Amino acid sequence: MSLVTLNAGSSSLKVAVFSRDGGERRVSGHLDRREEGWRFTLRRQGGDEERRELGEAATRSDALDAALEALGEAAGETVHAVSHRVVHGGVEFAAPVIIDDQVRARLEALIPLAPLHQPHNLAAVRAAEDAFPGAAQVACFDTAFHHGHAFEAEAFAIPRRYFHAGVRRYGFHGLSYEYLTGALSELADPAPSRVVFAHLGAGASLCAVKDRRSVDTTMGFSALDGLPMATRCGQIDPGVLLHLMETEGLDAAALSELLYRESGLKGLSGLSGDMRVLEASNAAEAKQAIGYFIERCRRQIAALAAALQGLDALVFAGGMGENSPAIRADVCEGLAWLGVELDADANAGARAAPARISADGSQVQVWMIPTDEEAVLARAAARLVAG
């Protein structure tokens, strides 16, 4: 038997097939939308890459069904469990659960808190139920890693009744941070105690971890807060939103469209939310957008270092964090006062494998570690189903 993982994002889907115990990855795949339509890429361990172009007419639902069909064929045996990344688990879900009708209803109620992701997460669950009837469907939550924060790190300074009603800072990217925390403890000897992890991708956040437990993070009630992202605004004065409501008549739907899909790097540059496009551009607006992103990263890393009362290590991950030496260098350049010093050659050469990229004399270790949310999904589901 085998175990399938589905990591559904706002514009892509990462999939994998693991052995029943979650220890051996056998197949990896990626579904994403391009100008010419959806493309599904499948790679077997030690084998060739297979691509399927689904055409311009294919809907997201069509593409998901095609990907699951190909995944089932690649598995070559009975799929006994499917493990899903679910972005929001609210106050209730602090650990993986098997999805039943009651759990599904509670997760659907959280859609307004993660409108870019939660609907796609739940659509993947429905499609997997059709593709793999009889398999256990397991939900693993991005918010779970951050459960247990101190009140000061969770609350907003609004009437306390809202905190008890669930209006609090949850944090996200928890599956990535769980993987990175474990990976760093294996790579560094001794393992650093006070670490800031930087998951820098289309969705970007930072997490302060002390002795392998999340202490604070930059995302909050929703996945809008903290760092600017590809199309999301990041931290913003709520007075701006009141102003836009009053002067431009924006309602909740219009504000949601503005903040989730038209802001961030895309809004700042007027060009693209893709950092690769901005780095290749000579436009002043592109350079300003990059500068804004770098400055916010520096500020938030410093703030989390304060929450940790010091900094022993800084770890980069995510699309930008893993693939852009320039972004890593620019972020670190403004943190020399914290004891961060890069090795330029090590940083330039760090791409696909974990690497320590700090200079020998750096007071703070700096690492680039590719994240692996699918491995966390597989291990969690294997433990839950076995138990």
Side-chain angles (χ1 to χ4, degrees), residues 326-366:
I327 292 295
R328 297 193 297 258
D330 287 345
V331 169
C332 290
E333 184 180 356
L335 299 175
W337 62 275
L338 266 176
V340 175
E341 184 181 354
L342 276 191
D343 180 313
D345 292 336
N347 179 51
R351 295 283 181 174
R356 180 169 174 170
I357 57 176
S358 48
D360 290 340
S362 179
Q363 298 174 34
V364 175
Q365 297 180 28
V366 185

Side-chain angles (χ1 to χ4, degrees), residues 120-179:
H120 298 312
N121 301 155
L122 296 177
V125 173
R126 290 189 292 271
E129 288 172 337
D130 292 337
F132 308 112
Q137 305 292 325
V138 176
C140 300
F141 302 99
D142 254 345
T143 48
F145 185 72
H146 306 294
H147 271 253
H149 280 180
F151 174 82
E152 295 84 356
E154 279 198 338
F156 294 105
I158 58 177
R160 197 181 185 98
R161 65 181 181 273
Y162 293 110
F163 178 82
H164 296 304
V167 181
R168 60 181 70 186
R169 301 181 71 250
Y170 292 97
F172 300 91
H173 289 141
L175 298 176
S176 176
Y177 293 132
E178 181 178 343
Y179 175 82

Side-chain angles (χ1 to χ4, degrees), residues 141-221:
F141 302 99
D142 254 345
T143 48
F145 185 72
H146 306 294
H147 271 253
H149 280 180
F151 174 82
E152 295 84 356
E154 279 198 338
F156 294 105
I158 58 177
R160 197 181 185 98
R161 65 181 181 273
Y162 293 110
F163 178 82
H164 296 304
V167 181
R168 60 181 70 186
R169 301 181 71 250
Y170 292 97
F172 300 91
H173 289 141
L175 298 176
S176 176
Y177 293 132
E178 181 178 343
Y179 175 82
L180 294 169
T181 298
L184 180 63
S185 68
E186 294 179 1
L187 290 165
D189 186 17
S193 172
R194 300 167 300 181
V195 185
V196 170
F197 292 96
H199 180 109
L200 307 181
S205 72
L206 306 169
C207 181
V209 171
K210 186 172 185 179
D211 298 329
R212 302 192 65 167
R213 292 185 62 86
S214 175
V215 172
D216 203 351
T217 186
T218 54
M219 282 184 173
F221 176 72

Side-chain angles (χ1 to χ4, degrees), residues 7-21:
N7 185 343
S10 57
S11 60
S12 64
L13 173 73
K14 289 187 280 189
V15 301
V17 177
F18 287 81
S19 57
R20 182 188 180 99
D21 63 1

Side-chain angles (χ1 to χ4, degrees), residues 2-6 15-18 68 71-72 75 79 81-84 132 381:
S2 57
L3 188 156
V4 165
T5 65
L6 299 182
V15 301
V17 177
F18 287 81
L68 292 179
L71 205 61
V79 173
V82 183
S83 188
H84 300 266
F132 308 112

